[in-house]
Amino acid sequence: MAEIIVMKAVNAENELHAQKVRELVDHFGVLLINLLSSPGSGKTTLLEATLREWRGKFRMGAIEGDLFTDEDARRLERFGIQVVQLNTQGSCHLTANMIEKALEKLDLKALDFLFIENVGNLVCPASFNLGEHKRVTLLSVTEGQDKIKKYPKAFFTADLLLVSKIDLLHLTEVKLENLKEDFFRVNPKGGFLPLSAKTGDGMPQWLGFLEAWKKELL
Amino acid sequence: MAEIIVMKAVNAENELHAQKVRELVDHFGVLLINLLSSPGSGKTTLLEATLREWRGKFRMGAIEGDLFTDEDARRLERFGIQVVQLNTQGSCHLTANMIEKALEKLDLKALDFLFIENVGNLVCPASFNLGEHKRVTLLSVTEGQDKIKKYPKAFFTADLLLVSKIDLLHLTEVKLENLKEDFFRVNPKGGFLPLSAKTGDGMPQWLGFLEAWKKELL
């Protein structure tokens, strides 16, 4: 179909911008994380929990991607961090070009970690490299058992799968073992971490991943 | 951006196919419903509950849209209904052209209701008319309070918003009154129905909507 051909053309240009993004964050030693998930899987809540845990320890910033609104940026600004809100005005994913523009508005030398919260969507964002060092996909247990099979690209391109909202696990028919099996089938090298930002379960391991990745960078 | 222009061109062709779809279902008196939501909001579970309630009363069929897999089709085939699985192979929405092809595989004169389960995605499917009589958007309470503001098109183009998984409402921070307010702000004419396919709460009203729409058609 015509759209697919166009997406490829856009992607080639996207790769050039992704390279520039990567050069910039590398230059300043900022670890860049791209967070991907369906709408409402808990990306912003994870960031809030991360900011709470690491306040005063690391300097963190965020780029918030949404079709419309600046609600997420305002949620994170309360933590006194650097935040840029990107509105895609209808487009279902961020592009590296958008990130490049957002970086101009950030003081990179004052950051250790920079999180990109992509548009809530399990399809389109998976095809766009934003120049990130690591890609983290969230999947809430309330989304059901079958999502890894149905939307494989968001999962096989991830460095880490965070299975979120595990405080609700007992209310669903989801089995963590089965999710793990589905995940490792498409992505044998990825990390797999069940987590609840609400109860704090899995948070130390999540922060551990971030610190380990940051060390790789140095 | 280039992609948006292309999407419009595709949409013009899509409208022609949507017209053909509509002519066909009208000819056979089949009510065509397009179900839209994020991944894991409970579209298939709603269809299962609907099929259970109406077995023997109405003749129902389904067109299942997924990037990959035929899991949903297999879930519904157990009810002995006509099902077609469409795999978009990576595309984030169904098109009217795909529906037209699916209709060729269905015996329309043996159907009262035909449900299209769109690809789980709150962005792309909202822009594609599939020739449906009614569009129903699902939003699970586990997706949080802000989704209507963030993804308005899926909501302002809906004839009915089903707020799903309300059996989990007390575990979330979501307030139904606020969802309702957000919804009516973008869509003052749409229907608003909280529902749990698990407990059956709201199911009689959902079936009521379907019967009323079917009567409009005759």
Side-chain angles (χ1 to χ4, degrees), chain A residues 1 3 6 10 38-40 66-69 71-72 90 92-93 120-124 142-143 146-147 149-152 165 168 171 198, chain B residues 1 3 6 10 38-40 66-69 71-72 90 92-93 98 120-124 142-143 146-147 149-152 165 168 171 198:
Chain A
M1 290 182 303
E3 324 153 57
V6 174
V10 171
S38 296
D66 282 298
L67 278 77
F68 306 100
T69 80
E71 295 208 5
D72 287 349
C92 54
H93 60 87
N121 192 309
L122 215 42
V123 185
C124 327
T142 59
E143 293 173 56
D146 52 357
K147 298 304 168 292
K149 286 183 189 151
K150 282 183 157 183
Y151 306 91
K165 306 193 189 182
L168 300 178
L171 297 166
K198 208 171 188 174
Chain B
M1 291 182 303
E3 325 152 55
V6 174
V10 171
S38 295
D66 281 297
L67 277 77
F68 305 101
T69 79
E71 294 208 6
D72 288 350
C92 55
H93 60 86
M98 297 176 192
N121 191 310
L122 216 41
V123 184
C124 327
T142 59
E143 292 173 55
D146 52 359
K147 298 303 169 291
K149 285 181 189 153
K150 283 182 157 184
Y151 306 91
K165 306 195 190 182
L168 300 177
L171 298 165
K198 209 170 187 175

Short mmCIF file of all heavy atoms in Angstrom, two decimals, chain A residues 1 3 6 10 38-40 66-69 71-72 90 92-93 120-124 142-143 146-147 149-152 165 168 171 198, chain B residues 1 3 6 10 38-40 66-69 71-72 90 92-93 98 120-124 142-143 146-147 149-152 165 168 171 198:
data_model
loop_
_atom_site.label_atom_id
_atom_site.label_comp_id
_atom_site.label_asym_id
_atom_site.label_seq_id
_atom_site.Cartn_x
_atom_site.Cartn_y
_atom_site.Cartn_z
N MET A 1 0.83 -1.20 0.00
CA MET A 1 0.00 0.00 0.00
C MET A 1 0.86 1.25 0.00
O MET A 1 1.93 1.28 0.58
CB MET A 1 -0.86 0.01 1.25
CG MET A 1 -1.95 -1.05 1.21
SD MET A 1 -2.91 -0.89 2.72
CE MET A 1 -1.59 -1.09 3.90
N GLU A 3 0.92 4.02 1.57
CA GLU A 3 1.40 4.63 2.82
C GLU A 3 2.70 4.01 3.28
O GLU A 3 3.56 4.69 3.83
CB GLU A 3 0.43 4.43 3.98
CG GLU A 3 -1.00 4.48 3.60
CD GLU A 3 -1.83 3.65 4.56
OE1 GLU A 3 -1.74 3.94 5.75
OE2 GLU A 3 -2.53 2.74 4.11
N VAL A 6 5.72 5.46 1.60
CA VAL A 6 6.01 6.80 2.11
C VAL A 6 6.68 6.74 3.48
O VAL A 6 7.63 7.46 3.74
CB VAL A 6 4.71 7.64 2.18
CG1 VAL A 6 4.98 8.97 2.86
CG2 VAL A 6 4.16 7.86 0.78
N VAL A 10 10.15 8.58 4.68
CA VAL A 10 10.24 9.42 5.88
C VAL A 10 11.29 8.85 6.82
O VAL A 10 12.07 9.57 7.42
CB VAL A 10 8.86 9.50 6.58
CG1 VAL A 10 9.00 10.18 7.94
CG2 VAL A 10 7.87 10.26 5.71
N SER A 38 0.95 1.62 24.79
CA SER A 38 -0.43 2.01 24.51
C SER A 38 -0.78 3.23 25.35
O SER A 38 -0.10 3.51 26.33
CB SER A 38 -1.38 0.89 24.96
OG SER A 38 -1.20 -0.28 24.24
N PRO A 39 -1.86 3.92 25.00
CA PRO A 39 -2.33 4.98 25.90
C PRO A 39 -2.67 4.39 27.27
O PRO A 39 -3.25 3.32 27.36
CB PRO A 39 -3.62 5.47 25.22
CG PRO A 39 -3.50 5.07 23.78
CD PRO A 39 -2.71 3.78 23.81
N GLY A 40 -2.26 5.09 28.32
CA GLY A 40 -2.70 4.69 29.65
C GLY A 40 -2.00 3.49 30.25
O GLY A 40 -2.53 2.84 31.15
N ASP A 66 2.62 14.18 22.74
CA ASP A 66 1.17 13.96 22.72
C ASP A 66 0.61 14.57 21.46
O ASP A 66 1.18 15.52 20.92
CB ASP A 66 0.50 14.64 23.93
CG ASP A 66 0.67 13.84 25.21
OD1 ASP A 66 0.17 12.70 25.23
OD2 ASP A 66 1.30 14.34 26.15
N LEU A 67 -0.52 14.05 21.00
CA LEU A 67 -1.19 14.67 19.85
C LEU A 67 -1.57 16.11 20.21
O LEU A 67 -1.37 17.03 19.43
CB LEU A 67 -2.45 13.89 19.47
CG LEU A 67 -2.24 12.66 18.60
CD1 LEU A 67 -1.72 11.50 19.38
CD2 LEU A 67 -3.52 12.29 17.90
N PHE A 68 -2.17 16.25 21.40
CA PHE A 68 -2.65 17.54 21.88
C PHE A 68 -2.40 17.59 23.39
O PHE A 68 -2.04 16.59 23.98
CB PHE A 68 -4.16 17.71 21.60
CG PHE A 68 -4.53 17.49 20.17
CD1 PHE A 68 -5.09 16.28 19.76
CD2 PHE A 68 -4.31 18.47 19.23
CE1 PHE A 68 -5.43 16.06 18.43
CE2 PHE A 68 -4.66 18.26 17.89
CZ PHE A 68 -5.21 17.07 17.50
N THR A 69 -2.62 18.72 23.98
CA THR A 69 -2.54 18.96 25.44
C THR A 69 -1.11 19.02 25.96
O THR A 69 -0.18 18.54 25.32
CB THR A 69 -3.29 17.91 26.31
OG1 THR A 69 -2.47 16.74 26.45
CG2 THR A 69 -4.65 17.57 25.77
N GLU A 71 -0.83 18.27 29.41
CA GLU A 71 -1.10 17.75 30.75
C GLU A 71 0.10 17.01 31.34
O GLU A 71 0.44 17.16 32.51
CB GLU A 71 -2.29 16.78 30.73
CG GLU A 71 -3.58 17.48 30.37
CD GLU A 71 -4.80 16.79 30.97
OE1 GLU A 71 -4.64 15.82 31.74
OE2 GLU A 71 -5.92 17.23 30.66
N ASP A 72 0.75 16.19 30.51
CA ASP A 72 1.86 15.38 31.02
C ASP A 72 3.04 16.26 31.41
O ASP A 72 3.68 16.05 32.43
CB ASP A 72 2.28 14.33 30.00
CG ASP A 72 1.25 13.21 29.90
OD1 ASP A 72 0.35 13.16 30.76
OD2 ASP A 72 1.36 12.38 28.99
N GLY A 90 -1.99 15.33 15.73
CA GLY A 90 -2.70 14.27 15.00
C GLY A 90 -1.80 13.13 14.57
O GLY A 90 -2.28 12.04 14.32
N CYS A 92 0.68 10.00 14.84
CA CYS A 92 0.62 8.95 15.85
C CYS A 92 1.97 8.58 16.46
O CYS A 92 2.08 7.58 17.14
CB CYS A 92 -0.05 7.71 15.27
SG CYS A 92 0.70 7.11 13.75
N HIS A 93 3.00 9.37 16.20
CA HIS A 93 4.32 9.04 16.75
C HIS A 93 5.20 10.28 16.72
O HIS A 93 4.93 11.23 15.96
CB HIS A 93 4.98 7.94 15.91
CG HIS A 93 5.16 8.37 14.49
ND1 HIS A 93 6.27 9.06 14.06
CD2 HIS A 93 4.35 8.27 13.42
CE1 HIS A 93 6.14 9.34 12.77
NE2 HIS A 93 4.98 8.88 12.35
N GLY A 120 1.12 7.79 22.98
CA GLY A 120 0.55 6.52 23.42
C GLY A 120 0.03 5.74 22.23
O GLY A 120 -1.01 6.06 21.67
N ASN A 121 0.76 4.70 21.84
CA ASN A 121 0.44 3.99 20.60
C ASN A 121 1.40 2.81 20.51
O ASN A 121 2.61 2.99 20.62
CB ASN A 121 0.65 4.94 19.41
CG ASN A 121 0.07 4.40 18.13
OD1 ASN A 121 0.35 3.27 17.75
ND2 ASN A 121 -0.73 5.20 17.46
N LEU A 122 0.85 1.62 20.29
CA LEU A 122 1.70 0.43 20.28
C LEU A 122 2.16 0.08 18.86
O LEU A 122 2.87 -0.90 18.66
CB LEU A 122 0.93 -0.73 20.91
CG LEU A 122 1.68 -1.76 21.75
CD1 LEU A 122 2.70 -1.14 22.67
CD2 LEU A 122 0.69 -2.60 22.55
N VAL A 123 1.78 0.89 17.88
CA VAL A 123 2.12 0.57 16.49
C VAL A 123 3.17 1.54 15.93
O VAL A 123 4.35 1.22 15.81
CB VAL A 123 0.87 0.56 15.58
CG1 VAL A 123 1.23 0.10 14.18
CG2 VAL A 123 -0.21 -0.35 16.16
N CYS A 124 2.74 2.75 15.61
CA CYS A 124 3.58 3.69 14.84
C CYS A 124 4.93 4.01 15.50
O CYS A 124 5.96 4.01 14.82
CB CYS A 124 2.83 4.98 14.55
SG CYS A 124 1.05 4.80 14.31
N THR A 142 -3.40 -4.89 32.58
CA THR A 142 -4.82 -4.75 32.24
C THR A 142 -5.07 -4.80 30.74
O THR A 142 -6.21 -4.85 30.30
CB THR A 142 -5.38 -3.41 32.77
OG1 THR A 142 -4.63 -2.33 32.19
CG2 THR A 142 -5.26 -3.32 34.28
N GLU A 143 -4.02 -4.79 29.94
CA GLU A 143 -4.20 -4.86 28.48
C GLU A 143 -4.36 -6.28 27.96
O GLU A 143 -4.60 -6.48 26.76
CB GLU A 143 -3.01 -4.17 27.77
CG GLU A 143 -2.96 -2.68 28.00
CD GLU A 143 -1.70 -2.05 27.44
OE1 GLU A 143 -1.43 -2.22 26.25
OE2 GLU A 143 -0.97 -1.39 28.21
N ASP A 146 -2.46 -11.02 25.06
CA ASP A 146 -2.11 -11.28 23.66
C ASP A 146 -1.33 -10.17 22.96
O ASP A 146 -1.05 -10.26 21.76
CB ASP A 146 -3.41 -11.57 22.87
CG ASP A 146 -4.46 -10.47 23.08
OD1 ASP A 146 -4.20 -9.53 23.87
OD2 ASP A 146 -5.53 -10.55 22.46
N LYS A 147 -0.96 -9.11 23.66
CA LYS A 147 -0.45 -7.91 22.99
C LYS A 147 0.94 -8.10 22.36
O LYS A 147 1.24 -7.47 21.34
CB LYS A 147 -0.44 -6.71 23.94
CG LYS A 147 -1.83 -6.34 24.42
CD LYS A 147 -2.77 -6.07 23.27
CE LYS A 147 -4.24 -5.96 23.66
NZ LYS A 147 -4.87 -7.22 24.12
N LYS A 149 2.15 -10.77 20.88
CA LYS A 149 1.94 -11.43 19.58
C LYS A 149 1.32 -10.49 18.56
O LYS A 149 1.61 -10.54 17.37
CB LYS A 149 1.03 -12.65 19.75
CG LYS A 149 1.71 -13.83 20.41
CD LYS A 149 0.76 -15.01 20.46
CE LYS A 149 1.34 -16.12 21.31
NZ LYS A 149 0.29 -16.93 21.94
N LYS A 150 0.43 -9.63 19.05
CA LYS A 150 -0.33 -8.79 18.11
C LYS A 150 0.45 -7.57 17.64
O LYS A 150 0.17 -7.05 16.56
CB LYS A 150 -1.61 -8.33 18.79
CG LYS A 150 -2.67 -9.38 18.83
CD LYS A 150 -3.88 -8.74 19.46
CE LYS A 150 -5.15 -9.43 19.09
NZ LYS A 150 -6.28 -8.69 19.69
N TYR A 151 1.34 -7.07 18.49
CA TYR A 151 2.08 -5.84 18.15
C TYR A 151 3.57 -6.09 18.34
O TYR A 151 4.22 -5.45 19.16
CB TYR A 151 1.62 -4.68 19.06
CG TYR A 151 0.13 -4.45 19.02
CD1 TYR A 151 -0.71 -5.08 19.92
CD2 TYR A 151 -0.42 -3.63 18.04
CE1 TYR A 151 -2.09 -4.89 19.87
CE2 TYR A 151 -1.79 -3.43 17.98
CZ TYR A 151 -2.61 -4.06 18.90
OH TYR A 151 -3.96 -3.87 18.83
N PRO A 152 4.13 -7.07 17.60
CA PRO A 152 5.49 -7.53 17.92
C PRO A 152 6.57 -6.46 17.82
O PRO A 152 7.51 -6.48 18.61
CB PRO A 152 5.72 -8.66 16.90
CG PRO A 152 4.71 -8.46 15.83
CD PRO A 152 3.52 -7.85 16.49
N LYS A 165 1.61 -1.94 36.22
CA LYS A 165 0.35 -2.13 36.99
C LYS A 165 0.21 -3.55 37.53
O LYS A 165 -0.90 -4.09 37.55
CB LYS A 165 -0.88 -1.75 36.14
CG LYS A 165 -0.78 -0.34 35.57
CD LYS A 165 -2.10 0.15 35.02
CE LYS A 165 -1.87 1.47 34.27
NZ LYS A 165 -3.08 2.08 33.75
N LEU A 168 -2.47 -4.86 39.88
CA LEU A 168 -3.80 -5.29 39.40
C LEU A 168 -3.79 -6.70 38.80
O LEU A 168 -4.80 -7.18 38.32
CB LEU A 168 -4.33 -4.29 38.36
CG LEU A 168 -4.52 -2.84 38.83
CD1 LEU A 168 -5.00 -1.97 37.67
CD2 LEU A 168 -5.53 -2.76 39.98
N LEU A 171 -6.42 -9.37 39.37
CA LEU A 171 -7.76 -9.09 38.86
C LEU A 171 -7.89 -9.39 37.36
O LEU A 171 -8.95 -9.24 36.78
CB LEU A 171 -8.11 -7.62 39.10
CG LEU A 171 -8.16 -7.23 40.59
CD1 LEU A 171 -8.17 -5.73 40.74
CD2 LEU A 171 -9.39 -7.84 41.25
N LYS A 198 2.82 2.18 41.60
CA LYS A 198 1.94 2.52 42.72
C LYS A 198 2.49 1.93 44.03
O LYS A 198 2.64 2.62 45.02
CB LYS A 198 0.55 1.95 42.44
CG LYS A 198 -0.59 2.71 43.07
CD LYS A 198 -1.89 2.16 42.52
CE LYS A 198 -3.09 2.98 42.94
NZ LYS A 198 -4.30 2.48 42.24
N MET B 1 3.63 18.07 7.51
CA MET B 1 4.54 16.98 7.17
C MET B 1 3.98 16.13 6.02
O MET B 1 2.78 15.96 5.90
CB MET B 1 4.72 16.10 8.38
CG MET B 1 5.49 16.79 9.52
SD MET B 1 5.67 15.65 10.86
CE MET B 1 3.94 15.29 11.12
N GLU B 3 3.65 13.00 5.45
CA GLU B 3 2.72 11.87 5.69
C GLU B 3 1.27 12.31 5.74
O GLU B 3 0.38 11.62 5.32
CB GLU B 3 3.00 11.19 7.04
CG GLU B 3 4.42 11.16 7.44
CD GLU B 3 4.53 11.12 8.94
OE1 GLU B 3 3.91 10.22 9.52
OE2 GLU B 3 5.20 11.98 9.52
N VAL B 6 -0.27 12.67 2.38
CA VAL B 6 -0.55 11.36 1.79
C VAL B 6 -1.78 10.72 2.41
O VAL B 6 -2.62 10.16 1.74
CB VAL B 6 0.67 10.43 1.96
CG1 VAL B 6 0.33 9.03 1.50
CG2 VAL B 6 1.84 10.98 1.16
N VAL B 10 -5.05 9.15 0.50
CA VAL B 10 -5.56 7.81 0.76
C VAL B 10 -7.01 7.89 1.24
O VAL B 10 -7.85 7.10 0.85
CB VAL B 10 -4.68 7.11 1.83
CG1 VAL B 10 -5.33 5.80 2.27
CG2 VAL B 10 -3.29 6.84 1.29
N SER B 38 -7.84 1.66 22.26
CA SER B 38 -6.46 1.28 22.53
C SER B 38 -6.36 -0.25 22.55
O SER B 38 -7.38 -0.92 22.72
CB SER B 38 -6.04 1.75 23.93
OG SER B 38 -6.04 3.13 24.01
N PRO B 39 -5.14 -0.78 22.45
CA PRO B 39 -5.00 -2.22 22.66
C PRO B 39 -5.47 -2.60 24.07
O PRO B 39 -5.18 -1.88 25.02
CB PRO B 39 -3.49 -2.44 22.54
CG PRO B 39 -2.97 -1.28 21.75
CD PRO B 39 -3.84 -0.13 22.14
N GLY B 40 -6.20 -3.70 24.17
CA GLY B 40 -6.54 -4.20 25.50
C GLY B 40 -7.62 -3.46 26.25
O GLY B 40 -7.71 -3.56 27.47
N ASP B 66 -6.27 -6.97 12.90
CA ASP B 66 -5.05 -7.03 13.70
C ASP B 66 -3.85 -6.88 12.78
O ASP B 66 -3.93 -7.23 11.60
CB ASP B 66 -4.93 -8.38 14.43
CG ASP B 66 -5.80 -8.43 15.67
OD1 ASP B 66 -5.56 -7.62 16.58
OD2 ASP B 66 -6.72 -9.26 15.71
N LEU B 67 -2.73 -6.41 13.31
CA LEU B 67 -1.51 -6.36 12.51
C LEU B 67 -1.12 -7.77 12.10
O LEU B 67 -0.76 -8.03 10.95
CB LEU B 67 -0.37 -5.73 13.31
CG LEU B 67 -0.32 -4.20 13.33
CD1 LEU B 67 -1.35 -3.62 14.27
CD2 LEU B 67 1.06 -3.71 13.69
N PHE B 68 -1.15 -8.65 13.11
CA PHE B 68 -0.75 -10.04 12.91
C PHE B 68 -1.69 -10.91 13.76
O PHE B 68 -2.47 -10.39 14.52
CB PHE B 68 0.69 -10.27 13.37
CG PHE B 68 1.68 -9.34 12.72
CD1 PHE B 68 2.15 -8.23 13.41
CD2 PHE B 68 2.11 -9.54 11.42
CE1 PHE B 68 3.05 -7.35 12.81
CE2 PHE B 68 3.01 -8.67 10.82
CZ PHE B 68 3.49 -7.57 11.52
N THR B 69 -1.59 -12.19 13.63
CA THR B 69 -2.32 -13.22 14.41
C THR B 69 -3.79 -13.34 14.03
O THR B 69 -4.36 -12.43 13.44
CB THR B 69 -2.29 -13.00 15.96
OG1 THR B 69 -3.24 -11.98 16.34
CG2 THR B 69 -0.91 -12.66 16.45
N GLU B 71 -5.82 -14.65 16.63
CA GLU B 71 -6.33 -15.04 17.95
C GLU B 71 -7.77 -14.59 18.19
O GLU B 71 -8.59 -15.32 18.73
CB GLU B 71 -5.44 -14.45 19.05
CG GLU B 71 -4.05 -15.02 19.04
CD GLU B 71 -3.39 -15.00 20.43
OE1 GLU B 71 -4.05 -14.65 21.42
OE2 GLU B 71 -2.21 -15.36 20.50
N ASP B 72 -8.05 -13.33 17.81
CA ASP B 72 -9.39 -12.80 18.07
C ASP B 72 -10.44 -13.53 17.25
O ASP B 72 -11.53 -13.83 17.75
CB ASP B 72 -9.43 -11.29 17.79
CG ASP B 72 -8.67 -10.51 18.87
OD1 ASP B 72 -8.31 -11.11 19.89
OD2 ASP B 72 -8.47 -9.31 18.67
N GLY B 90 1.27 -4.64 9.80
CA GLY B 90 2.05 -3.50 10.27
C GLY B 90 1.31 -2.18 10.20
O GLY B 90 1.66 -1.24 10.89
N CYS B 92 -1.48 0.59 10.97
CA CYS B 92 -2.09 0.84 12.29
C CYS B 92 -3.60 1.02 12.25
O CYS B 92 -4.20 1.46 13.22
CB CYS B 92 -1.42 2.06 12.93
SG CYS B 92 -1.47 3.54 11.90
N HIS B 93 -4.24 0.71 11.13
CA HIS B 93 -5.70 0.88 11.05
C HIS B 93 -6.24 0.05 9.90
O HIS B 93 -5.50 -0.33 8.98
CB HIS B 93 -6.04 2.34 10.82
CG HIS B 93 -5.44 2.85 9.54
ND1 HIS B 93 -6.06 2.72 8.32
CD2 HIS B 93 -4.24 3.43 9.27
CE1 HIS B 93 -5.28 3.21 7.37
NE2 HIS B 93 -4.17 3.65 7.92
N MET B 98 -10.21 -2.77 2.73
CA MET B 98 -10.07 -4.07 3.39
C MET B 98 -11.44 -4.63 3.78
O MET B 98 -11.69 -5.83 3.66
CB MET B 98 -9.22 -3.92 4.66
CG MET B 98 -7.78 -3.46 4.43
SD MET B 98 -6.94 -3.23 6.04
CE MET B 98 -5.45 -2.36 5.52
N GLY B 120 -6.13 -2.23 17.46
CA GLY B 120 -6.07 -1.54 18.75
C GLY B 120 -5.17 -0.33 18.66
O GLY B 120 -3.95 -0.46 18.60
N ASN B 121 -5.79 0.86 18.63
CA ASN B 121 -5.02 2.08 18.37
C ASN B 121 -6.00 3.23 18.53
O ASN B 121 -7.07 3.23 17.94
CB ASN B 121 -4.47 2.02 16.93
CG ASN B 121 -3.46 3.10 16.66
OD1 ASN B 121 -3.70 4.28 16.93
ND2 ASN B 121 -2.32 2.71 16.15
N LEU B 122 -5.62 4.22 19.32
CA LEU B 122 -6.54 5.32 19.59
C LEU B 122 -6.31 6.50 18.64
O LEU B 122 -6.98 7.52 18.74
CB LEU B 122 -6.35 5.77 21.05
CG LEU B 122 -7.58 6.23 21.84
CD1 LEU B 122 -8.79 5.37 21.60
CD2 LEU B 122 -7.26 6.30 23.33
N VAL B 123 -5.36 6.34 17.68
CA VAL B 123 -5.05 7.46 16.80
C VAL B 123 -5.52 7.17 15.36
O VAL B 123 -6.52 7.70 14.90
CB VAL B 123 -3.52 7.77 16.80
CG1 VAL B 123 -3.24 8.99 15.95
CG2 VAL B 123 -3.02 7.99 18.22
N CYS B 124 -4.81 6.30 14.66
CA CYS B 124 -5.01 6.15 13.21
C CYS B 124 -6.43 5.73 12.81
O CYS B 124 -6.99 6.30 11.88
CB CYS B 124 -4.00 5.16 12.63
SG CYS B 124 -2.39 5.14 13.42
N THR B 142 -8.91 1.69 33.26
CA THR B 142 -7.50 1.52 33.65
C THR B 142 -6.57 2.39 32.79
O THR B 142 -5.38 2.49 33.09
CB THR B 142 -7.05 0.05 33.49
OG1 THR B 142 -7.23 -0.34 32.12
CG2 THR B 142 -7.87 -0.87 34.37
N GLU B 143 -7.08 3.02 31.75
CA GLU B 143 -6.24 3.88 30.89
C GLU B 143 -6.09 5.29 31.44
O GLU B 143 -5.33 6.09 30.89
CB GLU B 143 -6.82 3.94 29.47
CG GLU B 143 -6.72 2.61 28.74
CD GLU B 143 -7.44 2.64 27.41
OE1 GLU B 143 -7.14 3.51 26.58
OE2 GLU B 143 -8.34 1.80 27.20
N ASP B 146 -7.13 11.07 31.34
CA ASP B 146 -6.81 12.15 30.38
C ASP B 146 -6.97 11.79 28.91
O ASP B 146 -6.64 12.59 28.04
CB ASP B 146 -5.37 12.62 30.64
CG ASP B 146 -4.38 11.44 30.66
OD1 ASP B 146 -4.82 10.28 30.49
OD2 ASP B 146 -3.17 11.68 30.82
N LYS B 147 -7.44 10.58 28.61
CA LYS B 147 -7.37 10.10 27.22
C LYS B 147 -8.27 10.83 26.24
O LYS B 147 -7.94 10.95 25.06
CB LYS B 147 -7.62 8.59 27.17
CG LYS B 147 -6.58 7.78 27.95
CD LYS B 147 -5.18 8.07 27.47
CE LYS B 147 -4.09 7.51 28.38
NZ LYS B 147 -3.95 8.16 29.70
N LYS B 149 -9.05 14.03 26.21
CA LYS B 149 -8.38 15.28 25.82
C LYS B 149 -7.19 15.00 24.90
O LYS B 149 -6.88 15.77 24.01
CB LYS B 149 -7.86 16.01 27.06
CG LYS B 149 -8.96 16.69 27.85
CD LYS B 149 -8.37 17.42 29.05
CE LYS B 149 -9.47 17.93 29.96
NZ LYS B 149 -9.01 18.04 31.34
N LYS B 150 -6.51 13.88 25.16
CA LYS B 150 -5.28 13.62 24.41
C LYS B 150 -5.52 13.03 23.03
O LYS B 150 -4.69 13.20 22.14
CB LYS B 150 -4.41 12.64 25.21
CG LYS B 150 -3.68 13.29 26.36
CD LYS B 150 -2.85 12.23 27.00
CE LYS B 150 -1.69 12.75 27.76
NZ LYS B 150 -0.89 11.63 28.27
N TYR B 151 -6.59 12.29 22.88
CA TYR B 151 -6.88 11.62 21.60
C TYR B 151 -8.30 11.97 21.16
O TYR B 151 -9.13 11.09 21.01
CB TYR B 151 -6.73 10.09 21.76
CG TYR B 151 -5.39 9.69 22.32
CD1 TYR B 151 -5.21 9.54 23.69
CD2 TYR B 151 -4.30 9.48 21.48
CE1 TYR B 151 -3.96 9.20 24.21
CE2 TYR B 151 -3.07 9.14 21.99
CZ TYR B 151 -2.90 9.00 23.35
OH TYR B 151 -1.68 8.66 23.86
N PRO B 152 -8.58 13.27 20.97
CA PRO B 152 -9.98 13.69 20.79
C PRO B 152 -10.69 13.06 19.60
O PRO B 152 -11.89 12.79 19.69
CB PRO B 152 -9.88 15.22 20.66
CG PRO B 152 -8.45 15.51 20.34
CD PRO B 152 -7.64 14.41 20.96
N LYS B 165 -14.50 -1.94 31.59
CA LYS B 165 -13.83 -2.44 32.81
C LYS B 165 -14.19 -1.64 34.06
O LYS B 165 -13.33 -1.40 34.91
CB LYS B 165 -12.30 -2.45 32.63
CG LYS B 165 -11.85 -3.24 31.39
CD LYS B 165 -10.37 -3.56 31.39
CE LYS B 165 -9.96 -4.12 30.03
NZ LYS B 165 -8.58 -4.50 29.93
N LEU B 168 -13.21 -2.37 37.67
CA LEU B 168 -11.91 -1.97 38.23
C LEU B 168 -11.88 -0.49 38.61
O LEU B 168 -10.84 0.02 39.06
CB LEU B 168 -10.79 -2.26 37.22
CG LEU B 168 -10.61 -3.72 36.78
CD1 LEU B 168 -9.51 -3.84 35.72
CD2 LEU B 168 -10.26 -4.62 37.98
N LEU B 171 -10.31 0.89 41.78
CA LEU B 171 -8.85 0.74 41.93
C LEU B 171 -8.09 1.82 41.17
O LEU B 171 -6.87 1.88 41.23
CB LEU B 171 -8.42 -0.65 41.43
CG LEU B 171 -9.02 -1.81 42.21
CD1 LEU B 171 -8.84 -3.11 41.44
CD2 LEU B 171 -8.39 -1.91 43.60
N LYS B 198 -17.45 -8.13 32.20
CA LYS B 198 -17.17 -9.19 33.19
C LYS B 198 -18.37 -9.37 34.14
O LYS B 198 -18.85 -10.46 34.34
CB LYS B 198 -15.94 -8.78 33.99
CG LYS B 198 -15.12 -9.94 34.53
CD LYS B 198 -13.81 -9.39 35.07
CE LYS B 198 -12.83 -10.46 35.48
NZ LYS B 198 -11.55 -9.86 35.90
#
